Amino acid sequence: MSDTIAAIATGQGRSAIGILRLSGPEARQVLDRVFTPAGKTPLLARPAGTLVYGSLYREDGTLLDRCMATFSLAPHSYTGEDTAELQCHGSPAVLTAGLEALFAAGARQARAGEFTRRAFLNGKLDLTQAEAVIDLIDAETTAAAVNAAGQLSGAIRRKIQGIYDGLVNLMAHYHVVLDYPDEDIDPFTLDEISGAVSDAVRDLRTLSASYRRGRRLTEGVPTALIGPPNAGKSSLLNALLGYDRAIVTPVPGTTRDTVEETCVIGGTLLRLVDTAGIREARDQVEQLGVARSRAALERAELVLMVVDGSAPLTPEALALLDGLPEGKLCVVVVNKCDLPCAVSCTSFPQRFAQVCAVSARTGEGLEALEGCIAALLAEGEAPPTGELITNARQAEAISRAADSLEAVGQALADGMPPDCVLTDVEGALYALGEVTGGTVTEDVTDRIFSRFCVGK
C-alpha cells in the first residue's frame, strides 16, 4: 500500500455530480498537481477537511472543470491513509479526462474494492463492516439498507467480539492457573467452562439462525404465482409490478415458461416467478413449462395460489390446493372479482387462512393483497437493526464455531481434562476470527473484495 490509487467513485452515465477519489501517501500532492484553488491560499496550506472551490486541469494545462476538492489526513479518513476527492460535474468525458490527469500526476488505477480493502487492512473496518459496505450499495429495500448500516456501524462485530473475549478470558484463566500454581488465583473449574460455553453456543446459534431472514433482506423472498391455466397469474404479475411484463391473452396456456421479476411489497423484496398453468400437459413444450412451474413451487418460500373466482374451482385448482406443501407461506388469490362471483373466499380449507379477492384487470383488492403479504412475511419479526447475518460465509463460520463449542460440552460430559477440552475452544476462536477478519486467509479476502465496484 505504498502507492497512491485513484478511481471514479460514482456510477456510469451523466449526472449532476461525479466524484474522483484518491488514497495513498501522495494523495495530497497528486491533488495539488491537478487542482488550483480559487483565491490566494494554496490547497495544502488549508485545513484538512475543507471543501475548496477551484479549477481542475489536464497535465498539459488545459482547463477541464470548475469543481470542488477536499483532502483528509491519515488516520482520520475512510481508508486510514491520506485521501482526497474531486467533486466535478458529472460528465463521463470530464471524469475520464480527470482520472487520466490523476494518473499522469502519479496515481494508479484502483482495483475493485481497493479503497475499502485498505480501510480493512488499516484497521478502520473489520470484515463484517467491509461486507456491509457492499450490502449497503446493493440494498434494494429500506430494511436491507437499515440492516447494512447497522452492520457498518459494528453491530455484528460487537456481538462476535463479546463472545470472542469471553472465550479468550476463559482460556487465559486456565493458563494463568496452570503457569502460576502458587499464586492466590481463583481455581479453574469445569463448571466455569460449561457455563461459559453453553452461553456462547446459545448466542452463536441465535446469530447463525438469523441468516435465513438476513438472506431474505438481501436476496428477496422467492415467490411463486401458481394456479391452473387462465386463472390470471400473468395479469396479477403485471398488476403487482405496475407494468406489462408478461404476455396476457384469453387463450389458456399462454405462459409456457417461467417469467421472473422483482418488486417491493410492504418493504420486503419479492422475487416473483410467474409460472405456466399446471395441468396435464398437451405437448412437449407445455410439459417442460409445467415441470418448471413445479420446480418454482418447490423453491418458493411464499406461494400466491391464483384461482379464477368467476367460475367454479376446476379439478386442476382443487388438486393444486390439496398438493400445496404444509408449512409453506401461502396466500390464495381469488382473481377476477370484477366479474360475477362463483367462488367464495370462505370456501377454502381452514389451513388457507390468507385468502384475498382481487381483480388484476381493474386493480381492485390489490392494496389488501399487498397488506396481507406484508403482514404474513413480517409476522413475529422485529425491524432489522444490523444484527442479521446476510451472507453465507459469515453464517458458515459462526455455525462452525458453535459446533466446536458443542464438542467442548460433549468432552466435558465424557470427563476429558481441561487441556483437551480447550483445544475445541481454540477452534471456535479461529472460526470467529474468520468472521471479523482476524484469522481470514488472503484468498477469502480477495474473493470478498472482488465483489466491490471500482472506486469503493
Side-chain angles (χ1 to χ4, degrees):
M1 297 191 296
S2 61
D3 49 359
T4 298
I5 58 174
I8 299 171
T10 42
Q12 296 181 351
R14 291 183 299 171
S15 60
I17 302 294
I19 294 176
L20 296 168
R21 176 174 290 167
L22 287 158
S23 182
E26 297 291 318
R28 290 183 299 156
Q29 290 79 1
V30 170
L31 178 63
D32 193 45
R33 291 171 194 142
V34 302
F35 179 81
T36 301
K40 297 180 180 179
T41 306
L43 179 67
L44 300 187
R46 298 175 186 242
T50 304
L51 194 60
V52 181
Y53 179 66
S55 302
L56 172 63
Y57 293 95
R58 295 181 62 187
E59 61 271 23
D60 63 1
T62 303
L63 177 66
L64 271 177
D65 197 5
R66 299 280 283 176
C67 60
M68 308 293 289
T70 185
F71 66 89
S72 300
L73 299 178
H76 306 294
S77 70
Y78 177 72
T79 63
E81 305 173 328
D82 286 356
T83 62
E85 284 191 354
L86 287 158
Q87 299 180 9
C88 306
H89 292 93
S91 158
V94 168
L95 294 173
T96 300
L99 185 61
E100 290 172 352
L102 294 176
F103 294 158
R108 70 158 172 83
Q109 173 67 60
R111 293 183 285 270
E114 191 168 2
F115 290 92
T116 304
R117 184 171 192 149
R118 289 188 176 203
F120 166 65
L121 294 175
N122 288 325
K124 303 296 287 186
L125 303 171
D126 79 337
L127 207 52
T128 65
Q129 292 170 295
E131 289 177 299
V133 171
I134 193 67
D135 279 355
L136 195 53
I137 292 171
D138 290 342
E140 297 184 65
T141 65
T142 301
V146 167
N147 191 70
Q151 289 183 343
L152 186 56
S153 297
I156 297 296
R157 176 186 57 78
R158 289 189 292 272
K159 279 270 191 182
I160 295 295
Q161 195 64 48
I163 297 169
Y164 188 95
D165 290 346
L167 296 175
V168 168
N169 291 339
L170 190 71
M171 295 192 67
H173 185 192
Y174 167 72
H175 286 294
V176 167
V177 171
L178 184 69
D179 294 342
Y180 302 98
D182 298 330
E183 299 292 331
D184 186 19
I185 301 171
D186 292 336
F188 185 81
T189 65
L190 295 181
D191 286 344
E192 179 185 9
I193 306 178
S194 181
V197 165
S198 177
D199 290 345
V201 169
R202 181 196 63 233
D203 292 343
L204 289 172
R205 290 300 185 202
T206 299
L207 201 54
S208 178
S210 73
Y211 174 54
R212 181 173 181 272
R213 187 180 170 203
R215 187 177 60 183
R216 276 187 180 183
L217 280 184
T218 56
E219 299 179 9
V221 180
T223 304
L225 283 77
I226 297 294
N230 213 31
K233 299 180 295 300
S234 296
S235 296
L236 180 61
L237 174 74
N238 291 342
L240 290 173
L241 295 177
Y243 63 92
D244 289 343
R245 171 65 177 85
I247 297 173
V248 175
T249 75
V251 179
T254 297
T255 302
R256 309 294 290 268
D257 198 355
T258 55
V259 177
E260 302 187 20
E261 198 52 81
T262 62
C263 73
V264 177
I265 291 179
T268 300
L269 180 68
L270 302 187
R271 299 206 171 275
L272 298 170
V273 182
D274 179 26
T275 65
I278 297 179
R279 65 180 180 184
E280 286 295 324
R282 301 179 181 180
D283 56 52
Q284 188 176 9
V285 174
E286 187 174 14
Q287 185 177 15
L288 290 171
V290 170
R292 291 189 178 186
S293 298
R294 295 193 181 281
L297 172 60
E298 188 67 28
R299 292 190 303 268
E301 292 184 28
L302 171 66
V303 176
L304 302 182
M305 173 66 193
V306 186
V307 298
D308 182 352
S310 68
L313 292 176
T314 63
E316 292 93 348
L318 293 170
L320 275 174
L321 286 165
D322 289 339
L324 286 175
E326 293 281 352
K328 195 179 286 284
L329 296 176
C330 180
V331 178
V332 176
V333 183
V334 181
N335 192 25
K336 306 183 184 180
C337 71
D338 54 311
L339 300 176
C341 179
V343 177
S344 169
C345 288
T346 61
S347 61
F348 296 91
Q350 189 173 1
R351 71 185 182 101
F352 299 110
Q354 307 293 338
V355 182
C356 292
V358 306
S359 170
R361 186 176 67 84
T362 67
E364 182 183 349
L366 285 180
E367 187 173 340
L369 172 61
E370 291 178 1
C372 178
I373 293 171
L376 190 63
L377 292 174
E379 188 174 355
E381 294 184 345
T385 58
E387 295 184 355
L388 298 180
I389 299 298
T390 53
N391 72 66
R393 185 197 71 82
Q394 294 175 10
E396 188 276 333
I398 291 169
S399 181
R400 189 156 25 93
D403 290 344
S404 293
L405 293 179
E406 285 186 341
V408 171
Q410 184 59 52
L412 290 173
D414 293 341
M416 300 292 288
D419 55 337
C420 295
V421 169
L422 291 178
T423 299
D424 285 318
V425 176
E426 290 178 350
L429 288 172
Y430 187 89
L432 293 178
E434 290 182 31
V435 178
T436 58
T439 57
V440 75
T441 59
E442 187 173 354
D443 64 316
V444 172
T445 57
D446 287 344
R447 189 161 62 248
I448 289 170
F449 289 106
S450 68
R451 296 174 54 211
F452 282 66
C453 52
V454 174
K456 191 58 183 171

